[in-house]
Amino acid sequence: HFPHGAFGPLEQAEFTHEQRFDPDGLVDRMLSISFVSLLPDDEREELLARVRAIGERHGSPIAFPYRTEVFVSRRG
């Protein structure tokens, strides 16, 4: 534990970013998620087929938005 007043005021910032994918890129992005890559082969292939179908139905490019929130407090 830090003593009361050991840190200055909390500062916050937010950053947004967007990646755009075609259906193949969306499938590759899903494969980069650890719990997807660790699925048994048959489950992973079924999931990726469903992702690809959604991507093809949606059309390109597919927007994949991100939001990062940063909180900083400086030591007093």
Side-chain angles (χ1 to χ4, degrees), residues 15-74:
F15 304 92
T16 59
H17 176 69
E18 183 177 276
Q19 286 183 292
R20 294 180 174 266
F21 299 105
D22 63 9
D24 290 333
L26 185 61
V27 168
D28 289 343
R29 172 63 181 88
M30 291 299 107
L31 274 171
S32 74
I33 300 172
S34 60
F35 73 84
V36 173
S37 64
L38 292 174
L39 288 171
D41 291 346
D42 58 335
E43 290 180 42
R44 185 177 59 250
E45 292 307 315
E46 179 183 344
L47 173 64
L48 296 177
R50 292 174 63 197
V51 167
R52 183 181 309 284
I54 290 169
E56 289 171 353
R57 195 168 48 246
H58 184 278
S60 293
I62 301 157
F64 203 91
Y66 295 86
R67 184 180 78 203
T68 302
E69 294 181 79
V70 179
F71 298 88
V72 176
S73 183
R74 302 187 195 292

